[in-house]
Amino acid sequence: MARSFRARLTMGVMAAAVVGAPLTIGLGASPAAAQASGCEQITSFLNERKSIVERVNKLGKQPKAADACALLGRLANNGNETMKWVEANKDWCQIPQNFIDGLKADHGNVTKVRGQACSVAAKQAQMEKQAREQGLLGGGGGDILTGPMRIPQGAL
């Protein structure tokens, strides 16, 4: 027996919550009406969001800033698309205001953390570039860990 749109959406929303309390939704539309109207499209947004959140969580407690920036950028883009869809379809799909408010709050948190991660990634890249230019990472041939190092010249 197929799950109702309401049950699938509630599970998807709860799984997609990144920060704070899980979001819940109680749509009043019947499953047949919701599926016929295109309201089921939100599940694709929420499934993509869940997938990205799982990948973010796999980065661990101290991820590389560039990796976090990239994934959080994808999550923010997903949030933008989801918000646009929800705003355009909230009346037709009878999406409750508490779901919309929770989604906005979650999206705001993601955007804030993304900005922080991308700022750190940009600073790290700038510092690495300066270190290479100054020869602090092994000189012209690469860095200490991955590239050749100059052998000291002269008497030892």
Side-chain angles (χ1 to χ4, degrees):
M1 183 171 163
R3 265 190 211 143
S4 70
F5 174 70
R6 171 190 251 163
R8 287 189 317 225
L9 187 55
T10 301
M11 289 174 37
V13 171
M14 290 176 69
V18 177
V19 184
L23 304 172
T24 58
I25 187 168
L27 299 178
S30 71
Q35 289 175 356
S37 67
C39 292
E40 74 281 353
Q41 187 177 9
I42 195 170
T43 58
S44 65
F45 290 119
L46 297 177
N47 286 336
E48 179 185 1
R49 186 170 193 80
K50 179 182 173 187
S51 171
I52 297 169
V53 168
E54 288 172 356
R55 290 176 45 199
V56 167
N57 290 335
K58 287 181 183 178
L59 290 177
K61 291 185 179 183
Q62 294 184 344
K64 292 182 181 178
D67 295 341
C69 176
L71 282 176
L72 290 170
R74 290 188 62 203
L75 190 59
N77 288 340
N78 172 273
N80 288 334
E81 292 174 12
T82 305
M83 288 301 303
K84 285 179 189 175
W85 187 91
V86 166
E87 288 296 326
N89 295 287
K90 66 182 176 184
D91 293 331
W92 178 255
C93 296
Q94 299 177 359
I95 300 172
Q97 189 61 43
N98 65 341
F99 171 77
I100 297 169
D101 294 342
L103 187 62
K104 284 180 182 178
D106 183 53
H107 183 61
N109 289 336
V110 168
T111 303
K112 179 182 174 184
V113 173
R114 175 187 169 251
Q116 293 169 345
C118 292
S119 175
V120 170
K123 288 177 184 176
Q124 285 177 344
Q126 181 183 10
M127 289 171 55
E128 287 176 7
K129 180 182 175 188
Q130 287 175 347
R132 279 194 185 89
E133 288 172 353
Q134 294 173 1
L136 298 176
L137 291 177
D143 65 49
I144 289 176
L145 299 176
T146 61
M149 290 182 52
R150 293 183 195 164
I151 298 177
Q153 300 293 318
L156 293 173

